[in-house]
Amino acid sequence: MPVTETFIGAVLGFTTQMYSNALRKLPLMRHPWEHVLGMGLGAVFVNQLVSWNEKLHEDLQVMIDKSKAANERRYFDEED
């Protein structure tokens, strides 16, 4: 569900900027545009992370299928 990942990324970006300002002992909402930028970058990051994870699982499944097929050819097709 893309809404969940986008929301989590936005919260991650926002809290990262708040934490950065708190560590530097600056006003928490010093530059509001930095919070918006952080929210956007966080949303993009988490969405890309989720899509990368899905692609990784698909590629892993393809590799497992190829390995199973190679093992079946090696051990079961040579029964002449």
Side-chain angles (χ1 to χ4, degrees), residues 6-74:
T6 303
F7 181 73
I8 289 171
V11 169
L12 176 70
F14 182 78
T15 55
T16 301
Q17 185 59 39
M18 294 286 280
Y19 185 67
S20 172
N21 285 347
L23 282 177
R24 295 183 291 163
K25 298 185 189 247
L26 297 172
L28 294 180
M29 293 296 286
R30 181 171 171 232
H31 294 136
W33 60 268
E34 289 178 350
H35 296 281
V36 174
L37 182 65
M39 290 169 68
L41 290 174
V44 168
F45 172 73
V46 172
N47 281 316
Q48 289 297 319
L49 187 66
V50 169
S51 67
W52 177 75
N53 191 28
E54 290 172 358
K55 177 82 168 110
L56 182 68
H57 284 293
E58 291 171 4
D59 291 345
L60 179 63
Q61 191 60 44
V62 168
M63 290 174 64
I64 290 172
D65 291 341
K66 285 182 181 179
S67 177
K68 284 181 182 178
N71 284 337
E72 287 177 3
R73 281 193 312 272
R74 180 175 181 188

